[in-house]
Amino acid sequence: MEVLEQYGTPKQKRMWLKGLMDGSIRSAFCMTEPDYASSDARNVKGTTIQEEFKDGVKGYRVEGRKWWSTGGNDPRCKVLLVLCKLVLPSGTKEDGHTLIIVPRDTPGVRVVRDLDVFGHKDEPFGHCEFEFKGVWVEEDNVVGGLGMGGKIAQSRLGPGRIHHCMRAVGLGSRVYDIMIKRSIERKVFGKRMIEHGMQQRKIAEGKGRLETARLLTLAAASKMDEVGAKGARTDISLAKILVPRMMLGIIDDAIQTHGGEGVQGELAFFYGTMRCLRIADGPD
């Protein structure tokens, strides 16, 4: 939504933005590639677009593969934003990256597979690998202009990282409550777990991590409101690095509190999800 709101043409906004905002449709961002280190958008080159006319209409042909496209299998997903390497018409050189809109039902778009996260499906719709083979879209589907893809991809990372941190804090808070409940209800060595000093330490450290993560996220979001994502990049980076690590600490202590029960079920799933956030939208 933010990409189309900032860089989309009036036509693109009419076609896609309203539905994205009211929740009637969803989108997927296709940037990461299997064969290249995609944390640096400049490395993206396995998916290309090349100018091509079809029935006298100018457009672009998209070829390549993307993976870790979150929500791509959601039935409501109707539009893909694909970061491509631009091949100039001459075919003699490459120049710049371009973001292009590909409707999900365009011929040549294929889901290769659903991707596991630590051996589990990230329900309900998870992440998938797309193949683009002979995909053709009109010239009007270019977002922000030719060669602007790298800049646009970077501009969405700041807000994306803060969104991840917000969700991480919410999940950490939920897991902290689960750990407290277990500590109160479970007895070991003649008394409740919460009465043991080691467990009290876990609870105290968890509270400190949770409140620190909340403040880091709030500070970064507030700075973004004041000076924009670029001006707040240091605050965003701090939150991106520290918040998932601190929430992993809470989840790890909750797993330890639950013993064998902790390494299966929702806590194990939460751990895998949070560990992925250290990689998502750029590794820490």
Side-chain angles (χ1 to χ4, degrees), residues 58-229:
K58 183 180 177 181
Y60 292 94
R61 187 179 74 250
V62 182
E63 301 278 351
R65 287 200 177 204
K66 298 289 187 180
W67 67 351
W68 296 109
S69 300
T70 302
N73 260 347
D74 189 327
R76 296 170 296 169
C77 182
K78 303 300 181 184
V79 57
L80 308 176
L81 296 175
V82 186
L83 183 66
C84 305
K85 183 73 174 179
L86 174 63
V87 180
L88 294 180
S90 64
T92 59
K93 64 176 182 177
E94 296 182 342
D95 181 29
H97 292 81
T98 297
L99 190 67
I100 195 161
I101 294 171
V102 177
R104 177 70 173 77
D105 59 359
T106 304
V109 176
R110 181 175 73 92
V111 174
V112 177
R113 56 174 171 154
D114 292 323
L115 298 168
D116 291 343
V117 178
F118 286 92
H120 298 278
K121 297 297 182 186
D122 196 354
E123 302 293 353
F125 304 112
H127 320 272
C128 56
E129 179 177 350
F130 279 110
E131 179 187 59
F132 301 90
K133 190 171 183 179
V135 174
W136 185 89
V137 294
E138 293 185 8
E139 181 183 23
D140 290 346
N141 286 38
V142 171
V143 180
L146 297 175
M148 289 289 291
K151 177 181 178 181
I152 295 172
Q154 290 298 323
S155 72
R156 68 171 287 276
L157 286 179
R161 287 165 177 165
I162 290 301
H163 293 166
H164 283 317
C165 288
M166 290 175 178
R167 287 190 291 271
V169 170
L171 180 57
S173 179
R174 177 180 172 185
V175 172
Y176 183 76
D177 290 342
I178 291 171
M179 181 171 66
I180 295 290
K181 185 174 184 291
R182 177 76 165 196
S183 301
I184 292 172
E185 294 176 349
R186 198 76 160 184
K187 285 188 176 181
V188 60
F189 299 113
K191 54 185 178 181
R192 294 180 302 163
M193 291 184 72
I194 201 168
E195 297 177 83
H196 289 276
M198 184 62 72
Q199 193 63 21
Q200 292 170 3
R201 177 178 176 177
K202 287 185 176 69
I203 291 168
E205 289 180 343
K207 184 66 173 176
R209 288 168 174 152
L210 194 56
E211 293 306 316
T212 302
R214 281 175 173 154
L215 290 173
L216 279 171
T217 304
L218 178 61
S222 178
K223 190 71 170 290
M224 285 175 64
D225 285 342
E226 294 174 7
V227 297

Side-chain angles (χ1 to χ4, degrees), residues 168-169 172 209-210 213 242-251 274:
V169 170
R209 288 168 174 152
L210 194 56
L242 296 175
V243 170
R245 293 187 182 199
M246 288 187 286
M247 298 305 96
L248 272 173
I250 293 175
I251 298 171
M274 193 60 63

Side-chain angles (χ1 to χ4, degrees), residues 9-27:
T9 64
K11 180 181 177 180
Q12 291 167 355
K13 291 178 181 180
R14 284 195 305 270
M15 290 184 65
W16 307 111
L17 188 56
K18 184 179 183 299
L20 290 169
M21 292 182 68
D22 65 26
S24 59
I25 66 171
R26 299 292 297 271
S27 65

